[in-house]
């Protein structure tokens, strides 16, 4: 009976999560006029791909922009966070605990405060409507989180591994690249995945640091598409479905690495 109850709860949770996704997909396949009826159809008959054609025609460039920004954010976040986490977890220095505390405080700063500050700074540096500007802006949020995730994992790595490498003549950098990074693969993938998802779904930095005259991530593209095409809801829903595909694929592919990376530092022998 207890097992049956857990199964029922699990099924209900899956249904609750999938129901909005179903209606989004359903709406993307129906003609625009069908969505304005008092009782929309539960199944998309007759189905149409006009929404996806419109989405690819108007939002294809925005999807590519989001992919470039998210990919760049992952690279910058891991290049900074991985050695920083190694230093905090494996190398003794007095300011380590204070630095970790500062990282926790940084996570509490409202995003709108960061966005307004970066707008003034990037305006002077010419980074408005710029891929580098968006990557750096997203990295201000992803780097502290990635450091905390990686540090929690690296603290559990036995120091004997680093000490053995040092005895064999390896320096700190060689120990980091040859020993620590391979052992921390799951945590690195986890940090990279969360960095990608944050940058992919970011709206605040994207709408603040773009003017509509140059590049636009897909979140801003959907926002402005809704404003200009309020009657074309199947196109809006089709864009939302396309924007969900990369994140869904990454979550499915990296699922086992994420679970191992999030729990790897939970227990320390």
């Amino acid at each position: 009976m207890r097992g049956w109850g857990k199964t029922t709860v699990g099924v209900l949770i899956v249904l609750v999560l999938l129901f909005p996704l179903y209606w989004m997909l359903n709406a993307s396949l129906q003609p625009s006029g069908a969505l304005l009826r008092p009782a929309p159809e539960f199944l998309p008959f007759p189905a149409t791909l006009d929404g996806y054609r419109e989405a690819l025609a108007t939002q294809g460039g925005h999807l590519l922009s989001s992919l470039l920004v998210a990919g760049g954010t992952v690279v910058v976040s891991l290049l900074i966070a991985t050695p920083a986490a190694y230093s905090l977890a494996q190398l003794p220095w007095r300011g380590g605990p204070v630095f970790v505390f500062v990282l926790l405080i940084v996570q509490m700063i409202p995003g709108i405060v960061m966005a307004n500050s970066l707008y003034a700074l990037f305006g002077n540096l010419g980074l408005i409507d710029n891929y580098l500007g968006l990557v750096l802006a997203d990295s201000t949020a992803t780097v502290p989180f990635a450091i905390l995730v990686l540090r929690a994992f690296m603290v559990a790595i036995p120091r004997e591994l680093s000490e053995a490498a040092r005895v064999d003549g390896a320096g700190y950098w060689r120990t980091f690249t040859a020993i620590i990074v391979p052992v921390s693969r799951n945590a690195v993938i986890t940090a990279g995945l969360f960095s990608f998802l944050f940058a992919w779904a970011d709206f605040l930095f994207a709408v603040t640091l773009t003017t509509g005259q140059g590049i636009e991530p897909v979140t801003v593209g959907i926002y402005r598409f809704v404003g200009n095409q309020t009657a074309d809801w199947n196109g809006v829903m089709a864009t939302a479905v396309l924007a969900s595909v990369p994140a869904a694929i990454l979550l499915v592919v990296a699922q086992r690495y994420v679970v191992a990376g999030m729990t790897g530092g939970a227990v320390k022998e």
Side-chain angles (χ1 to χ4, degrees), residues 12 34-35 40-41 43 49 61 84 99 103 118 142 151 169 179 190-191 195 199 222:
L12 290 176
L35 300 177
E41 297 293 336
L43 294 175
L49 296 178
F99 187 74
L103 290 177
L118 290 176
T142 58
R151 176 187 173 274
I179 304 296
T190 301
S195 298
I222 293 176

Side-chain angles (χ1 to χ4, degrees), residues 158-198:
R159 292 182 180 270
E160 288 78 4
L161 291 176
S162 300
E163 293 173 357
R166 296 299 305 279
V167 169
D168 291 338
Y172 288 115
W173 184 251
R174 178 65 183 275
T175 301
F176 168 69
T177 57
I179 304 296
I180 301 300
V181 172
V183 172
S184 306
R185 180 190 62 176
N186 293 333
V188 171
I189 293 176
T190 301
L193 177 62
F194 278 101
S195 298
F196 182 92
L197 293 178
F198 176 88

Side-chain angles (χ1 to χ4, degrees), residues 10-102:
V11 171
L12 290 176
I13 292 175
V14 171
L15 290 177
V16 169
L17 294 175
L18 291 180
F19 190 72
L21 296 177
Y22 165 75
W23 275 110
M24 186 168 65
L25 180 62
N26 179 36
S28 69
L29 294 173
Q30 294 192 34
S32 295
L35 300 177
L36 302 178
R37 298 172 185 169
E41 297 293 336
F42 188 77
L43 294 175
F45 292 116
T48 177
L49 296 178
D50 291 342
Y52 288 92
R53 297 188 185 96
E54 180 70 14
L56 290 174
T58 59
Q59 304 296 320
H62 299 158
L63 288 168
L64 180 60
S65 295
S66 287
L67 186 62
L68 293 175
V69 172
T73 301
V74 171
V75 173
V76 172
S77 299
L78 294 182
L79 285 178
I80 297 175
T82 309
Y86 166 64
S87 175
L88 291 170
Q90 295 285 324
L91 304 182
W93 55 292
R94 293 182 178 180
V98 176
F99 187 74
V100 172
F101 179 74
V102 171

